[in-house]
Amino acid sequence: MKLSRYYAVLALSVLLSILAVTATLYYSPIISVDSSLYLLTSQVYASQGFKAMLTGVNWPFYPLLIHYTHVITGLSSLHSAYLQNYLYFIVSVLAFLGIVRRLGGELRHVIWALFAIMSFRYFIKINAGTIRDTGYLCFYLLSLYHFIRFAGKQTWCRGVVWIVCMVIATLYRIEGVVIL
């Protein structure tokens, strides 16, 4: 596979990912109950601390991430969550394409994989809300990609990266540990 063409497909996938998330956010402006809970919990943490935040959620990783993204970027909590959605979606698509390539896919297979993942309605629709599923799915796909790399050549570094991705995915959804 020519690398320049492969990188062109990756660049196209980033562009399509940005457009997909933007369209989803534009056409689905309603914030779900879960989204409201995470945003409110993030604000409770900012004003009242960690202990008060735990009264709203049992698994505080995602609201904490929203809060610290807000602190670092200066964006509102909602826009900080949206920024995370963009990043997770882009990385998820790139990880999926990387998995196809690692499994021996040629350029045409990677292109078909791009069309497949971009036409998967649920995958795109979950970006309408600020929910932790986007982060879980991102790191789940990254862990699968790094597992394939580790299976190909077992090194400490590849094993650690695989395990770190699994742990981060679990931080988003504790019940996801069963799948991992």
Side-chain angles (χ1 to χ4, degrees):
M1 169 182 332
K2 285 191 123 184
L3 280 180
S4 61
R5 290 183 183 168
Y6 176 70
Y7 290 133
V9 170
L10 294 183
L12 176 63
S13 72
V14 169
L15 177 64
L16 290 175
S17 297
I18 292 169
L19 292 174
V21 175
T22 302
T24 303
L25 293 175
Y26 180 77
Y27 290 110
S28 302
I30 298 171
I31 297 175
S32 71
V33 174
D34 284 348
S35 300
S36 298
L37 175 67
Y38 297 130
L39 295 170
L40 179 64
T41 305
S42 172
Q43 293 169 354
V44 166
Y45 173 71
S47 63
Q48 299 174 22
F50 189 77
K51 196 170 189 176
M53 180 183 78
L54 290 178
T55 61
V57 293
N58 294 330
W59 203 244
F61 181 72
Y62 186 57
L64 284 172
L65 200 56
I66 291 171
H67 170 73
Y68 285 109
T69 302
H70 158 72
V71 168
I72 291 168
T73 63
L75 296 171
S76 69
S77 294
L78 178 63
H79 288 98
S80 295
Y82 285 163
L83 175 64
Q84 290 176 34
N85 280 8
Y86 277 99
L87 295 175
Y88 297 147
F89 192 82
I90 291 168
V91 172
S92 296
V93 170
L94 293 175
F96 183 71
L97 299 181
I99 290 167
V100 170
R101 183 169 179 234
R102 284 267 169 205
L103 292 175
E106 297 176 8
L107 182 62
R108 63 189 163 109
H109 301 123
V110 173
I111 292 170
W112 280 109
L114 175 60
F115 286 125
I117 199 165
M118 294 306 284
S119 63
F120 186 40
R121 184 176 167 93
Y122 173 76
F123 180 65
I124 294 174
K125 192 172 180 165
I126 63 172
N127 287 291
T130 55
I131 56 175
R132 58 196 171 131
D133 292 4
T134 53
Y136 171 74
L137 183 60
C138 173
F139 283 97
Y140 174 78
L141 286 170
L142 277 176
S143 71
L144 185 58
Y145 172 80
H146 287 290
F147 172 74
I148 294 167
R149 287 188 69 214
F150 177 71
K153 183 178 181 184
Q154 296 178 359
T155 65
W156 264 96
C157 183
R158 288 182 179 189
V160 168
V161 171
W162 167 45
I163 291 169
V164 166
C165 288
M166 288 190 330
V167 168
I168 294 172
T170 304
L171 288 173
Y172 282 96
R173 296 197 67 90
I174 186 60
E175 60 274 17
V177 77
V178 174
I179 296 172
L180 294 174

